[in-house]
Amino acid sequence: LNIASEASDKQILSLGGGGRVNEFKLRYQVSMRAYDLKQHDWIPAEEIVLGRDYSYDDTRVLAKEAEETLLIQSMRSDMVQQIVRRLSRAKPQLQQ
């Protein structure tokens, strides 16, 4: 298994009155490929992207930062599960 890249980002999803942020979108993406010792693909290069939206309240900054941390941890856990499921179904690809 080769994890070529891993990235996360946060984007503003919506603004409220006075230009205050109401919602954010978190994204977590992993580019991966699985292959054998002879470099034959079992899982061709692919990118998996997960996202979570959450509401934001600037009067509860600490609580919202904690929520964001939990969401990121949850996305990482989901990503690991998806990769493991893909690996469990992987078979050598036919060479052409």
Side-chain angles (χ1 to χ4, degrees):
L1 174 64
N2 177 299
I3 303 293
S5 68
E6 167 186 36
S8 60
D9 66 7
K10 179 166 98 172
Q11 301 170 341
I12 296 172
L13 200 56
S14 68
L15 296 172
R20 291 186 166 173
V21 175
N22 281 342
E23 293 177 296
F24 280 108
K25 179 174 197 74
L26 297 173
R27 283 179 21 109
Y28 182 57
Q29 68 184 61
V30 169
S31 295
M32 59 163 278
R33 176 179 169 233
Y35 53 91
D36 61 23
L37 292 175
K38 294 179 182 178
Q39 300 293 311
H40 297 136
D41 280 338
W42 282 56
I43 300 174
E46 68 177 283
E47 186 174 270
I48 306 168
V49 180
L50 300 176
R52 302 282 190 279
D53 300 343
Y54 72 101
S55 62
Y56 184 76
D57 181 354
D58 61 0
T59 63
R60 302 178 54 216
V61 174
L62 292 177
K64 289 301 177 174
E65 285 177 358
E67 179 182 2
E68 181 179 321
T69 300
L70 288 173
L71 287 170
I72 291 169
Q73 290 173 348
S74 171
M75 285 192 299
R76 285 188 170 157
S77 177
D78 288 351
M79 184 67 72
V80 168
Q81 291 173 16
Q82 282 196 31
I83 291 170
V84 168
R85 280 193 301 272
R86 282 181 165 96
L87 287 171
S88 71
R89 293 187 315 262
K91 294 184 171 112
Q93 304 291 308
L94 297 175
Q95 300 301 310
Q96 297 179 13

